[in-house]
């Protein structure tokens, strides 16, 4: 049997107001800008935000002809099709930070049967984010 492929998973998303999304994600969820490349129209061509040893990439929504209509925001799709789970050691502090920043809490913080605590929040453009103290790698 061959060696397993090694890699990292980095979710990517598009925002209608990517500059505001970057500011909000940093304030509410504790992300830090790693790289932000503005586009010529006041949006974001490409951004990388980090949280711990994880990363997300995002950019401004592009016209359908530039992405063949393959990528839609939750608002355009009418629902979410994915929701990242992010391990946070100090989950109660993180929850309070998100609430203070105005995050819409979809599922209140609670202990889970499998261990740890979890909450789910929605960002201003409708993406769902799951944050929990349960670390499946531990």
């Amino acid at each position: 049997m061959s060696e397993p492929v090694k890699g990292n998973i980095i979710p990517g998303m598009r925002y209608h107001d990517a500059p505001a999304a970057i500011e909000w994600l940093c304030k509410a969820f504790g992300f830090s800008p790693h790289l932000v490349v503005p586009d010529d129209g006041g949006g974001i061509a490409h951004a990388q935000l980090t949280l711990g040893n994880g990363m997300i990439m995002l950019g401004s929504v592009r016209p359908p002809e530039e992405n063949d209509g393959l990528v839609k925001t939750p608002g355009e799709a009418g629902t979410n099709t994915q929701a990242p789970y992010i391990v946070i050691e100090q989950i109660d502090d993180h929850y309070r930070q998100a609430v203070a920043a105005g995050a819409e809490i979809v599922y209140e913080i609670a202990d889970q049967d499998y261990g740890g605590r979890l909450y789910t929040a929605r960002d201003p453009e409708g993406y769902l984010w799951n944050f929990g103290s349960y670390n499946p790698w531990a």
Side-chain angles (χ1 to χ4, degrees), residues 75-113:
E76 294 164 344
T79 190
N80 272 274
T81 59
Q82 66 173 340
Y85 174 78
I86 301 163
V87 178
I88 301 290
E89 289 181 14
Q90 302 298 325
I91 190 65
D92 291 289
D93 293 340
H94 192 269
Y95 171 81
R96 285 189 287 275
Q97 177 179 335
V99 169
E104 176 190 350
I105 304 302
V106 178
Y107 295 113
E108 289 291 334
I109 193 165
D111 294 332
Q112 302 300 302
D113 293 340

Side-chain angles (χ1 to χ4, degrees), residues 8-41:
N8 294 307
I9 298 172
I10 302 172
M13 41 228 14
R14 295 280 175 195
Y15 284 88
H16 287 281
D17 189 345
I22 291 168
E23 183 178 334
W24 193 89
L25 291 167
C26 292
K27 179 181 178 184
F29 296 155
F31 283 96
S32 296
H34 179 71
L35 173 70
V36 178
V37 181
D39 65 20
D40 293 335

Side-chain angles (χ1 to χ4, degrees), residues 1-6:
M1 189 148 177
S2 65
E3 274 294 306
V5 175
K6 295 181 181 181

Side-chain angles (χ1 to χ4, degrees), residues 38-91:
D39 65 20
D40 293 335
I44 301 297
H46 177 77
Q48 300 165 359
L49 306 181
T50 59
L51 182 63
N53 64 356
M55 179 181 285
I56 63 170
M57 292 191 286
L58 64 92
S60 295
V61 169
R62 295 182 180 162
E65 61 273 9
E66 290 185 23
N67 68 15
D68 296 325
L70 296 175
V71 178
K72 294 186 184 307
T73 66
E76 294 164 344
T79 190
N80 272 274
T81 59
Q82 66 173 340
Y85 174 78
I86 301 163
V87 178
I88 301 290
E89 289 181 14
Q90 302 298 325
I91 190 65

